[in-house]
Amino acid sequence: MAQKLGLVHLSTGDLFRAHIKNQTPLGRKVKGLMDAGQLVPDDVTWQLVAQRIAEDDCAGGYILDGFPRTIRQAELLGEQETLDAVIDIEVDGDVLMHRLCGRRVCVACGAPYHTSHYTGDTCTRCGAALMQRDDDRPETVKSRLAVYEAQTAPLIAYYRERGLLRPVDGAQETENVFAEILRLLGVA
């Protein structure tokens, strides 16, 4: 999506994982929270996002992925930025469990895999081992879904009231979801 629209893809998960990998103080602080499926505190997450948005490459626009996740984060964002749209990719909980728990990633090059398409344990690109991220383990995914229902689901009404919400059926094939999002954004 970001490539198609010429925008920066800003994923809070990726930003946090980079801090964890580099063993920064922030990374050490949030690792335990993420591994348990908990959200990082709003003020910490907002500081990270605000710093990233302020970088030069975001001046032409960006796609937020995984942010905001709480009403407070949405309020902080709204105080600084004007959003064009909020895409709500709607997917049933059982489908999410299957999708998330089946994810694997190459430890060396980061190539993504899913057990429903590839059952090997080594990367087809570089030959390194594949691993399941701690936050994709079943017990953690269940916790993440419970946290979503309690803290993130209220954002649907929040953004609907502001006329920004664009729901998409996420149970479709990936290319259909992509096409629908482009249509909703008026760039299809």
PDB file of all heavy atoms in Angstrom, residues 42-69:
ATOM      1  N   ASP A  42       0.559   4.594  26.491  1.00  0.00           N
ATOM      2  CA  ASP A  42       0.221   5.568  25.456  1.00  0.00           C
ATOM      3  C   ASP A  42       1.274   6.649  25.262  1.00  0.00           C
ATOM      4  O   ASP A  42       1.626   6.981  24.126  1.00  0.00           O
ATOM      5  CB  ASP A  42      -1.120   6.242  25.779  1.00  0.00           C
ATOM      6  CG  ASP A  42      -2.292   5.292  25.661  1.00  0.00           C
ATOM      7  OD1 ASP A  42      -2.182   4.275  24.940  1.00  0.00           O
ATOM      8  OD2 ASP A  42      -3.331   5.568  26.275  1.00  0.00           O
ATOM      9  N   ASP A  43       1.773   7.211  26.351  1.00  0.00           N
ATOM     10  CA  ASP A  43       2.727   8.312  26.223  1.00  0.00           C
ATOM     11  C   ASP A  43       4.033   7.849  25.579  1.00  0.00           C
ATOM     12  O   ASP A  43       4.616   8.563  24.762  1.00  0.00           O
ATOM     13  CB  ASP A  43       2.988   8.985  27.573  1.00  0.00           C
ATOM     14  CG  ASP A  43       3.558   8.044  28.620  1.00  0.00           C
ATOM     15  OD1 ASP A  43       3.240   6.838  28.588  1.00  0.00           O
ATOM     16  OD2 ASP A  43       4.325   8.515  29.491  1.00  0.00           O
ATOM     17  N   VAL A  44       4.483   6.651  25.895  1.00  0.00           N
ATOM     18  CA  VAL A  44       5.706   6.109  25.313  1.00  0.00           C
ATOM     19  C   VAL A  44       5.500   5.847  23.818  1.00  0.00           C
ATOM     20  O   VAL A  44       6.337   6.223  22.988  1.00  0.00           O
ATOM     21  CB  VAL A  44       6.135   4.804  26.028  1.00  0.00           C
ATOM     22  CG1 VAL A  44       7.327   4.166  25.342  1.00  0.00           C
ATOM     23  CG2 VAL A  44       6.436   5.082  27.494  1.00  0.00           C
ATOM     24  N   THR A  45       4.376   5.253  23.480  1.00  0.00           N
ATOM     25  CA  THR A  45       4.081   4.968  22.079  1.00  0.00           C
ATOM     26  C   THR A  45       3.960   6.267  21.291  1.00  0.00           C
ATOM     27  O   THR A  45       4.509   6.388  20.185  1.00  0.00           O
ATOM     28  CB  THR A  45       2.783   4.145  21.958  1.00  0.00           C
ATOM     29  OG1 THR A  45       2.924   2.954  22.730  1.00  0.00           O
ATOM     30  CG2 THR A  45       2.490   3.781  20.523  1.00  0.00           C
ATOM     31  N   TRP A  46       3.256   7.244  21.833  1.00  0.00           N
ATOM     32  CA  TRP A  46       3.084   8.512  21.133  1.00  0.00           C
ATOM     33  C   TRP A  46       4.422   9.206  20.909  1.00  0.00           C
ATOM     34  O   TRP A  46       4.681   9.752  19.837  1.00  0.00           O
ATOM     35  CB  TRP A  46       2.123   9.437  21.868  1.00  0.00           C
ATOM     36  CG  TRP A  46       2.146  10.809  21.274  1.00  0.00           C
ATOM     37  CD1 TRP A  46       2.506  11.959  21.881  1.00  0.00           C
ATOM     38  CD2 TRP A  46       1.820  11.166  19.926  1.00  0.00           C
ATOM     39  NE1 TRP A  46       2.436  13.013  21.010  1.00  0.00           N
ATOM     40  CE2 TRP A  46       2.012  12.555  19.784  1.00  0.00           C
ATOM     41  CE3 TRP A  46       1.408  10.457  18.808  1.00  0.00           C
ATOM     42  CZ2 TRP A  46       1.796  13.239  18.593  1.00  0.00           C
ATOM     43  CZ3 TRP A  46       1.181  11.130  17.618  1.00  0.00           C
ATOM     44  CH2 TRP A  46       1.376  12.506  17.512  1.00  0.00           C
ATOM     45  N   GLN A  47       5.313   9.204  21.895  1.00  0.00           N
ATOM     46  CA  GLN A  47       6.630   9.827  21.722  1.00  0.00           C
ATOM     47  C   GLN A  47       7.377   9.197  20.562  1.00  0.00           C
ATOM     48  O   GLN A  47       7.981   9.896  19.744  1.00  0.00           O
ATOM     49  CB  GLN A  47       7.450   9.716  23.008  1.00  0.00           C
ATOM     50  CG  GLN A  47       6.959  10.608  24.115  1.00  0.00           C
ATOM     51  CD  GLN A  47       7.691  10.356  25.430  1.00  0.00           C
ATOM     52  OE1 GLN A  47       8.559   9.502  25.531  1.00  0.00           O
ATOM     53  NE2 GLN A  47       7.314  11.113  26.455  1.00  0.00           N
ATOM     54  N   LEU A  48       7.322   7.875  20.485  1.00  0.00           N
ATOM     55  CA  LEU A  48       7.997   7.163  19.405  1.00  0.00           C
ATOM     56  C   LEU A  48       7.403   7.546  18.049  1.00  0.00           C
ATOM     57  O   LEU A  48       8.128   7.850  17.101  1.00  0.00           O
ATOM     58  CB  LEU A  48       7.880   5.652  19.634  1.00  0.00           C
ATOM     59  CG  LEU A  48       8.579   4.766  18.622  1.00  0.00           C
ATOM     60  CD1 LEU A  48      10.085   4.835  18.808  1.00  0.00           C
ATOM     61  CD2 LEU A  48       8.105   3.331  18.772  1.00  0.00           C
ATOM     62  N   VAL A  49       6.079   7.550  17.958  1.00  0.00           N
ATOM     63  CA  VAL A  49       5.404   7.890  16.700  1.00  0.00           C
ATOM     64  C   VAL A  49       5.658   9.349  16.329  1.00  0.00           C
ATOM     65  O   VAL A  49       5.968   9.659  15.178  1.00  0.00           O
ATOM     66  CB  VAL A  49       3.895   7.589  16.785  1.00  0.00           C
ATOM     67  CG1 VAL A  49       3.148   8.140  15.583  1.00  0.00           C
ATOM     68  CG2 VAL A  49       3.666   6.083  16.907  1.00  0.00           C
ATOM     69  N   ALA A  50       5.541  10.248  17.284  1.00  0.00           N
ATOM     70  CA  ALA A  50       5.740  11.672  17.010  1.00  0.00           C
ATOM     71  C   ALA A  50       7.157  11.943  16.493  1.00  0.00           C
ATOM     72  O   ALA A  50       7.339  12.729  15.552  1.00  0.00           O
ATOM     73  CB  ALA A  50       5.464  12.498  18.259  1.00  0.00           C
ATOM     74  N   GLN A  51       8.144  11.268  17.073  1.00  0.00           N
ATOM     75  CA  GLN A  51       9.524  11.421  16.603  1.00  0.00           C
ATOM     76  C   GLN A  51       9.655  10.945  15.156  1.00  0.00           C
ATOM     77  O   GLN A  51      10.287  11.591  14.336  1.00  0.00           O
ATOM     78  CB  GLN A  51      10.491  10.642  17.493  1.00  0.00           C
ATOM     79  CG  GLN A  51      10.713  11.246  18.845  1.00  0.00           C
ATOM     80  CD  GLN A  51      11.537  10.330  19.750  1.00  0.00           C
ATOM     81  OE1 GLN A  51      11.909   9.220  19.396  1.00  0.00           O
ATOM     82  NE2 GLN A  51      11.806  10.823  20.960  1.00  0.00           N
ATOM     83  N   ARG A  52       9.014   9.816  14.859  1.00  0.00           N
ATOM     84  CA  ARG A  52       9.124   9.252  13.510  1.00  0.00           C
ATOM     85  C   ARG A  52       8.396  10.116  12.483  1.00  0.00           C
ATOM     86  O   ARG A  52       8.894  10.357  11.391  1.00  0.00           O
ATOM     87  CB  ARG A  52       8.578   7.819  13.500  1.00  0.00           C
ATOM     88  CG  ARG A  52       8.685   7.119  12.159  1.00  0.00           C
ATOM     89  CD  ARG A  52      10.156   6.931  11.757  1.00  0.00           C
ATOM     90  NE  ARG A  52      10.257   6.326  10.454  1.00  0.00           N
ATOM     91  CZ  ARG A  52      10.416   7.020   9.320  1.00  0.00           C
ATOM     92  NH1 ARG A  52      10.485   8.340   9.334  1.00  0.00           N
ATOM     93  NH2 ARG A  52      10.502   6.395   8.163  1.00  0.00           N
ATOM     94  N   ILE A  53       7.209  10.612  12.829  1.00  0.00           N
ATOM     95  CA  ILE A  53       6.440  11.466  11.928  1.00  0.00           C
ATOM     96  C   ILE A  53       7.201  12.757  11.607  1.00  0.00           C
ATOM     97  O   ILE A  53       7.086  13.298  10.517  1.00  0.00           O
ATOM     98  CB  ILE A  53       5.055  11.799  12.544  1.00  0.00           C
ATOM     99  CG1 ILE A  53       4.162  10.556  12.532  1.00  0.00           C
ATOM    100  CG2 ILE A  53       4.373  12.930  11.808  1.00  0.00           C
ATOM    101  CD1 ILE A  53       2.868  10.732  13.316  1.00  0.00           C
ATOM    102  N   ALA A  54       8.000  13.222  12.556  1.00  0.00           N
ATOM    103  CA  ALA A  54       8.746  14.470  12.374  1.00  0.00           C
ATOM    104  C   ALA A  54       9.936  14.322  11.419  1.00  0.00           C
ATOM    105  O   ALA A  54      10.508  15.326  10.995  1.00  0.00           O
ATOM    106  CB  ALA A  54       9.224  14.990  13.727  1.00  0.00           C
ATOM    107  N   GLU A  55      10.295  13.091  11.062  1.00  0.00           N
ATOM    108  CA  GLU A  55      11.426  12.888  10.159  1.00  0.00           C
ATOM    109  C   GLU A  55      11.056  13.339   8.745  1.00  0.00           C
ATOM    110  O   GLU A  55       9.896  13.287   8.330  1.00  0.00           O
ATOM    111  CB  GLU A  55      11.873  11.428  10.183  1.00  0.00           C
ATOM    112  CG  GLU A  55      12.477  11.054  11.533  1.00  0.00           C
ATOM    113  CD  GLU A  55      12.940   9.607  11.606  1.00  0.00           C
ATOM    114  OE1 GLU A  55      13.182   8.988  10.547  1.00  0.00           O
ATOM    115  OE2 GLU A  55      13.051   9.101  12.735  1.00  0.00           O
ATOM    116  N   ASP A  56      12.071  13.789   8.003  1.00  0.00           N
ATOM    117  CA  ASP A  56      11.856  14.385   6.686  1.00  0.00           C
ATOM    118  C   ASP A  56      11.086  13.506   5.716  1.00  0.00           C
ATOM    119  O   ASP A  56      10.271  14.007   4.940  1.00  0.00           O
ATOM    120  CB  ASP A  56      13.203  14.775   6.062  1.00  0.00           C
ATOM    121  CG  ASP A  56      13.879  15.931   6.788  1.00  0.00           C
ATOM    122  OD1 ASP A  56      13.179  16.649   7.537  1.00  0.00           O
ATOM    123  OD2 ASP A  56      15.096  16.103   6.608  1.00  0.00           O
ATOM    124  N   ASP A  57      11.331  12.190   5.730  1.00  0.00           N
ATOM    125  CA  ASP A  57      10.683  11.327   4.747  1.00  0.00           C
ATOM    126  C   ASP A  57       9.173  11.209   4.953  1.00  0.00           C
ATOM    127  O   ASP A  57       8.457  10.771   4.056  1.00  0.00           O
ATOM    128  CB  ASP A  57      11.328   9.942   4.702  1.00  0.00           C
ATOM    129  CG  ASP A  57      11.188   9.173   6.008  1.00  0.00           C
ATOM    130  OD1 ASP A  57      10.987   9.795   7.065  1.00  0.00           O
ATOM    131  OD2 ASP A  57      11.305   7.931   5.961  1.00  0.00           O
ATOM    132  N   CYS A  58       8.668  11.630   6.102  1.00  0.00           N
ATOM    133  CA  CYS A  58       7.229  11.593   6.361  1.00  0.00           C
ATOM    134  C   CYS A  58       6.508  12.859   5.904  1.00  0.00           C
ATOM    135  O   CYS A  58       5.278  12.922   5.964  1.00  0.00           O
ATOM    136  CB  CYS A  58       6.964  11.358   7.847  1.00  0.00           C
ATOM    137  SG  CYS A  58       7.373   9.679   8.386  1.00  0.00           S
ATOM    138  N   ALA A  59       7.251  13.847   5.462  1.00  0.00           N
ATOM    139  CA  ALA A  59       6.646  15.122   5.066  1.00  0.00           C
ATOM    140  C   ALA A  59       5.628  14.946   3.933  1.00  0.00           C
ATOM    141  O   ALA A  59       4.644  15.680   3.863  1.00  0.00           O
ATOM    142  CB  ALA A  59       7.718  16.127   4.656  1.00  0.00           C
ATOM    143  N   GLY A  60       5.837  13.964   3.062  1.00  0.00           N
ATOM    144  CA  GLY A  60       4.927  13.731   1.947  1.00  0.00           C
ATOM    145  C   GLY A  60       3.759  12.825   2.292  1.00  0.00           C
ATOM    146  O   GLY A  60       2.919  12.542   1.434  1.00  0.00           O
ATOM    147  N   GLY A  61       3.701  12.356   3.513  1.00  0.00           N
ATOM    148  CA  GLY A  61       2.614  11.507   3.959  1.00  0.00           C
ATOM    149  C   GLY A  61       3.102  10.148   4.412  1.00  0.00           C
ATOM    150  O   GLY A  61       4.224   9.734   4.117  1.00  0.00           O
ATOM    151  N   TYR A  62       2.237   9.460   5.134  1.00  0.00           N
ATOM    152  CA  TYR A  62       2.600   8.170   5.711  1.00  0.00           C
ATOM    153  C   TYR A  62       1.342   7.372   5.997  1.00  0.00           C
ATOM    154  O   TYR A  62       0.240   7.908   6.067  1.00  0.00           O
ATOM    155  CB  TYR A  62       3.413   8.353   7.004  1.00  0.00           C
ATOM    156  CG  TYR A  62       2.789   9.342   7.947  1.00  0.00           C
ATOM    157  CD1 TYR A  62       1.819   8.942   8.862  1.00  0.00           C
ATOM    158  CD2 TYR A  62       3.142  10.689   7.908  1.00  0.00           C
ATOM    159  CE1 TYR A  62       1.221   9.847   9.708  1.00  0.00           C
ATOM    160  CE2 TYR A  62       2.553  11.603   8.757  1.00  0.00           C
ATOM    161  CZ  TYR A  62       1.591  11.176   9.652  1.00  0.00           C
ATOM    162  OH  TYR A  62       0.995  12.076  10.485  1.00  0.00           O
ATOM    163  N   ILE A  63       1.554   6.078   6.153  1.00  0.00           N
ATOM    164  CA  ILE A  63       0.487   5.165   6.554  1.00  0.00           C
ATOM    165  C   ILE A  63       0.848   4.655   7.942  1.00  0.00           C
ATOM    166  O   ILE A  63       1.924   4.086   8.134  1.00  0.00           O
ATOM    167  CB  ILE A  63       0.352   3.984   5.575  1.00  0.00           C
ATOM    168  CG1 ILE A  63      -0.084   4.478   4.203  1.00  0.00           C
ATOM    169  CG2 ILE A  63      -0.625   2.942   6.119  1.00  0.00           C
ATOM    170  CD1 ILE A  63      -0.091   3.405   3.135  1.00  0.00           C
ATOM    171  N   LEU A  64      -0.046   4.872   8.894  1.00  0.00           N
ATOM    172  CA  LEU A  64       0.164   4.361  10.243  1.00  0.00           C
ATOM    173  C   LEU A  64      -0.330   2.924  10.313  1.00  0.00           C
ATOM    174  O   LEU A  64      -1.434   2.627   9.871  1.00  0.00           O
ATOM    175  CB  LEU A  64      -0.590   5.217  11.258  1.00  0.00           C
ATOM    176  CG  LEU A  64      -0.085   6.642  11.423  1.00  0.00           C
ATOM    177  CD1 LEU A  64      -1.053   7.457  12.263  1.00  0.00           C
ATOM    178  CD2 LEU A  64       1.300   6.640  12.047  1.00  0.00           C
ATOM    179  N   ASP A  65       0.475   2.056  10.868  1.00  0.00           N
ATOM    180  CA  ASP A  65       0.154   0.634  10.990  1.00  0.00           C
ATOM    181  C   ASP A  65       0.341   0.254  12.456  1.00  0.00           C
ATOM    182  O   ASP A  65       1.455   0.279  12.966  1.00  0.00           O
ATOM    183  CB  ASP A  65       1.102  -0.157  10.084  1.00  0.00           C
ATOM    184  CG  ASP A  65       0.940  -1.653  10.167  1.00  0.00           C
ATOM    185  OD1 ASP A  65       0.106  -2.137  10.947  1.00  0.00           O
ATOM    186  OD2 ASP A  65       1.669  -2.344   9.442  1.00  0.00           O
ATOM    187  N   GLY A  66      -0.761  -0.070  13.128  1.00  0.00           N
ATOM    188  CA  GLY A  66      -0.677  -0.428  14.539  1.00  0.00           C
ATOM    189  C   GLY A  66      -0.766   0.760  15.473  1.00  0.00           C
ATOM    190  O   GLY A  66      -0.482   0.646  16.661  1.00  0.00           O
ATOM    191  N   PHE A  67      -1.177   1.883  14.944  1.00  0.00           N
ATOM    192  CA  PHE A  67      -1.322   3.095  15.752  1.00  0.00           C
ATOM    193  C   PHE A  67      -2.401   3.956  15.134  1.00  0.00           C
ATOM    194  O   PHE A  67      -2.438   4.075  13.916  1.00  0.00           O
ATOM    195  CB  PHE A  67      -0.004   3.874  15.789  1.00  0.00           C
ATOM    196  CG  PHE A  67      -0.080   5.088  16.668  1.00  0.00           C
ATOM    197  CD1 PHE A  67       0.209   5.001  18.015  1.00  0.00           C
ATOM    198  CD2 PHE A  67      -0.459   6.320  16.155  1.00  0.00           C
ATOM    199  CE1 PHE A  67       0.125   6.115  18.836  1.00  0.00           C
ATOM    200  CE2 PHE A  67      -0.549   7.433  16.960  1.00  0.00           C
ATOM    201  CZ  PHE A  67      -0.248   7.339  18.304  1.00  0.00           C
ATOM    202  N   PRO A  68      -3.275   4.536  15.927  1.00  0.00           N
ATOM    203  CA  PRO A  68      -3.406   4.431  17.371  1.00  0.00           C
ATOM    204  C   PRO A  68      -4.115   3.148  17.774  1.00  0.00           C
ATOM    205  O   PRO A  68      -4.857   2.563  16.987  1.00  0.00           O
ATOM    206  CB  PRO A  68      -4.251   5.653  17.735  1.00  0.00           C
ATOM    207  CG  PRO A  68      -5.087   5.893  16.524  1.00  0.00           C
ATOM    208  CD  PRO A  68      -4.229   5.494  15.356  1.00  0.00           C
ATOM    209  N   ARG A  69      -3.894   2.743  19.007  1.00  0.00           N
ATOM    210  CA  ARG A  69      -4.551   1.549  19.546  1.00  0.00           C
ATOM    211  C   ARG A  69      -5.445   1.846  20.742  1.00  0.00           C
ATOM    212  O   ARG A  69      -6.082   0.937  21.253  1.00  0.00           O
ATOM    213  CB  ARG A  69      -3.512   0.503  19.930  1.00  0.00           C
ATOM    214  CG  ARG A  69      -2.843  -0.066  18.707  1.00  0.00           C
ATOM    215  CD  ARG A  69      -2.254  -1.394  18.985  1.00  0.00           C
ATOM    216  NE  ARG A  69      -1.666  -1.911  17.754  1.00  0.00           N
ATOM    217  CZ  ARG A  69      -1.102  -3.070  17.661  1.00  0.00           C
ATOM    218  NH1 ARG A  69      -1.045  -3.849  18.722  1.00  0.00           N
ATOM    219  NH2 ARG A  69      -0.587  -3.475  16.533  1.00  0.00           N
TER     220      ARG A  69
END
